[in-house]
């Protein structure tokens, strides 16, 4: 509403023209006297004089914004980069189809940490605490059938779920070791698109990932009708990932099978899965988790501590920085080195 | 004279107002680590609060929306400069809202930026404490789209961790370059059993609020100390015998703080309820 009119959405103050095509001079919604309105309209027609600028400029009074603190919902890639500049952050690449259990896994990890029940680890800090809380409450959901297309750059609407990273800093209970995890919260459709159409632009961050989690609904690997298809798709995903990393070293891949409470994936299916991945020169370790559980023998959150351990433990021994060789009495290594130049 | 400001933070029903009422009485008694140098001009707020205690019950939760400040000039018992401290009382709901929206009014932001330190309150057995989500609730919330009353309930430890983040972002270093100080006050400490009391409020926080315990240990921006507090030394609500005894004797000699004695390496009960503030404003 302009300050010349009582009608919500009036455009006369801004453009000098009525959107309803009424004559502003005779309009019944007008609230300022004719002279002022004419001055307002003439100021919109020609160069602004001081008086006209004042009337024309104050169409809307800028709302007073309360000071705010940085949001603690999901973080953008640049936030993670900033954190990585000062300390080691383990970036986890999480992929998986819709309903594979990615959100449930993140929610369950958060519940374990918030109750102090994650074996071997305890909470130290999180810069996305409200993001975790919202995810565990199901308070934010992807728009059904229309998920976001890109990773968020800056946090936007507070009630809008944006793709981004969740941050979790934890302390190892026996010892002083701290780890920081950057866990992406992404729509499953992105993984689907990656497999189907090789759309990998949104996964460029995976190049700086330390570990990859490919989430898969464990029930689909048990079901006779579906498991062949799922194994085949996982193999194709492995191929896409191999292509994404080109000739670079691919981070360790963990296949995370969810819904462990509804049964363990048969060994023969896992063997088939490994051979399918091996076709694309991809090698993976399988970790089974139960984010939630209706099975009294399986605790909710089972397997998540092992998943964290596997993610932050080097999967191969680091090369020796200065390998030692047996001493040979008649050689001088340094001189020989110079001699080779 | 130095002017210092101490912010009291905590959720609704965390014991902030009762502490301020009790604090003035302790400062005026001149028996603790901090003494009142002069009688403040306006003591209506603390007198109103203390009246509830004198009548044998705790002051109810702060309902007014206006800020009420308690400004008093104090001097350390061991001697030193006079310091004017400003302790604004604020409804716990305001802090709760600030966490939910990541916003705070301009005058409170100014107050935070001016503050030298803060007291963060959490109360034992408060009906308004919110436990972390469990798997059953979370699964229900994840499965059911739509409004659910539980979606709005922020766990107490999450709110307190966010308040600590706000303090880290706003509090300036102390004049001597040291880190700003935070006293974490576990109020109604008289309600815990002997075993929990002996283990101390730090262990209590680690057990009841695991994330808060970890966060307090992990802050590199704040200097943190944890205190247990009983403003009157007993339960005026449930323990009628204690209430009668308290009403007969008054505030003197009632109320104590549980503080860690690093010399003896153990938690000790101290009758000086000014300690959480004295440490924050002290040298």
């Amino acid at each position: 509403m302009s300050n010349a009119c009582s009608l919500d959405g009036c455009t006369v103050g801004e453009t000098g023209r009525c959107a309803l095509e009424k004559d502003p001079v005779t309009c019944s919604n007008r609230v300022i006297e004719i002279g002022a309105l004419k001055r307002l309209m003439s100021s919109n027609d020609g160069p602004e004089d001081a008086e006209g600028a004042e009337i024309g400029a104050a169409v809307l009074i800028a709302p007073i914004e309360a000071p705010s603190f940085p949001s603690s919902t999901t973080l953008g890639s640049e936030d993670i980069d900033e954190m990585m500049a000062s300390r080691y952050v383990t970036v986890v690449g999480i992929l998986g189809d819709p309903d594979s259990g990615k959100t449930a896994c993140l929610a369950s990890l958060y519940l374990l940490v918030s109750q102090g029940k994650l074996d071997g680890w305890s909470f130290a800090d999180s810069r996305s605490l409200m993001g975790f809380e919202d995810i565990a409450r199901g308070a934010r959901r992807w728009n059904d059938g229309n998920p976001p297309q890109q990773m968020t750059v800056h946090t936007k609407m507070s009630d809008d779920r944006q793709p981004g990273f969740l941050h979790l800093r934890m302390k190892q209970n026996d010892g002083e070791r701290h780890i920081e995890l950057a866990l992406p919260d992404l729509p499953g459709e992105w993984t689907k698109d990656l497999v189907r159409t090789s759309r990998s632009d949104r996964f460029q961050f995976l190049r700086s990932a330390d570990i990859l989690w490919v989430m898969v609904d464990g029930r689909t690997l048990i079901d006779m009708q579906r498991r062949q298809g799922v194994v085949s798709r996982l193999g194709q995903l492995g191929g896409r990932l191999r292509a994404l990393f080109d000739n670079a070293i691919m981070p360790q891949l963990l296949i995370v099978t969810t819904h462990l409470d509804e049964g363990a994936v048969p060994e023969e299916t896992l063997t088939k899965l490994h051979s399918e991945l091996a076709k694309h020169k991809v090698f993976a370790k399988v970790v089974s988790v139960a984010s939630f559980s209706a099975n009294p023998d399986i605790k909710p959150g089972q397997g998540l501590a092992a998943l964290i351990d596997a993610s932050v433990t080097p999967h191969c021994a680091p090369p020796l920085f200065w390998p030692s060789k047996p001493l040979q009495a008649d050689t001088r290594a340094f001189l020989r080195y110079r001699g080779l130049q | 004279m130095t002017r210092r400001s101490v912010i009291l933070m905590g959720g609704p029903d965390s014991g902030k107002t009762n502490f301020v009422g009790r604090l003035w009485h302790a400062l005026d008694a001149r028996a603790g680590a901090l003494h009142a140098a002069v009688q403040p001009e306006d003591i209506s707020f603390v007198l109103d609060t203390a009246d509830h205690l004198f009548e044998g019950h705790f002051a109810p939760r702060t309902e007014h929306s206006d800020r009420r400040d308690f400004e008093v000039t104090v001097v350390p018992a061991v001697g030193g400069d006079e310091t004017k401290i400003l302790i604004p009382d604020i409804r716990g709901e305001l802090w709760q809202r600030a966490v939910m929206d990541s916003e705070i009014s301009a005058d409170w932001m100014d107050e935070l930026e001016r503050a030298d330190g803060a007291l963060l309150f959490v109360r034992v057995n408060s009906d308004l404490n919110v436990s972390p989500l469990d798997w059953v609730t979370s699964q229900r919330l994840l499965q059911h789209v739509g409004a659910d009353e539980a979606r709005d309930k922020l766990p107490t430890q999450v709110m307190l961790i966010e308040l600590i983040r706000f303090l880290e972002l706003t509090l300036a270093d102390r004049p001597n370059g040291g880190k700003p100080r935070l006293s974490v006050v576990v109020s109604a400490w008289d309600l815990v059993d002997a075993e929990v009391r002996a283990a101390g409020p730090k262990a209590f926080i680690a057990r009841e609020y695991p994330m808060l315990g970890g966060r307090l240990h992990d802050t590199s921006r704040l200097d943190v100390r944890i205190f247990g507090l009983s403003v009157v030394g007993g339960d005026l609500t449930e323990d009628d015998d204690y209430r009668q005894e308290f009403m007969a004797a008054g505030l003197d000699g009632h109320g104590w703080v549980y503080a860690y004695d690093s010399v003896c390496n153990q938690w000790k009960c101290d009758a000086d309820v000014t300690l959480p503030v004295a440490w924050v404003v002290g040298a």
Side-chain angles (χ1 to χ4, degrees), chain B residues 170-204:
Chain B
T170 51
L171 292 183
D173 283 345
R174 294 164 63 81
N176 63 5
K179 292 188 241 179
R181 290 181 174 178
L182 171 67
S183 286
V184 178
V185 178
V186 183
S187 61
W189 187 240
D190 53 278
L191 292 182
V192 300
D193 60 40
E195 191 183 338
V196 174
R197 193 180 297 183
K202 188 175 179 181
F204 172 82

Side-chain angles (χ1 to χ4, degrees), chain A residues 124, chain B residues 164 168 179 214-224:
Chain B
I164 290 171
E168 288 182 330
K179 292 188 241 179
R215 184 69 177 84
L216 290 171
H217 195 263
D218 196 62
T219 177
S220 56
R221 177 80 190 92
L222 301 172
D223 200 355
V224 179

Side-chain angles (χ1 to χ4, degrees), chain A residues 66-70 72 108 110-112 114-115 123-125 129 133 135-139 141 169 178 291-292 300, chain B residues 102-104 106 133-135 138-139 141-142 150-151 153 155 157-158 161-162 165-166 169-170 211 214-215 218:
Chain A
S68 59
F69 296 99
S72 67
S108 188
Y110 172 66
L111 297 184
L112 281 174
S114 68
Q115 302 204 6
F123 176 85
D125 193 10
L129 194 54
E133 187 65 28
I135 281 175
R137 283 176 189 280
R141 290 166 186 280
R169 178 173 159 84
H178 285 79
S291 300
F292 296 91
Chain B
S102 291
E103 280 186 359
I104 196 166
L133 272 180
D134 55 50
W135 280 265
S138 179
Q139 191 170 27
L141 292 172
L142 283 167
R151 285 183 204 278
K153 286 187 179 171
Q157 63 175 351
V158 172
I161 291 168
E162 285 294 278
R165 185 171 70 92
F166 293 172
L169 289 166
T170 51
M211 290 170 80
R215 184 69 177 84
D218 196 62

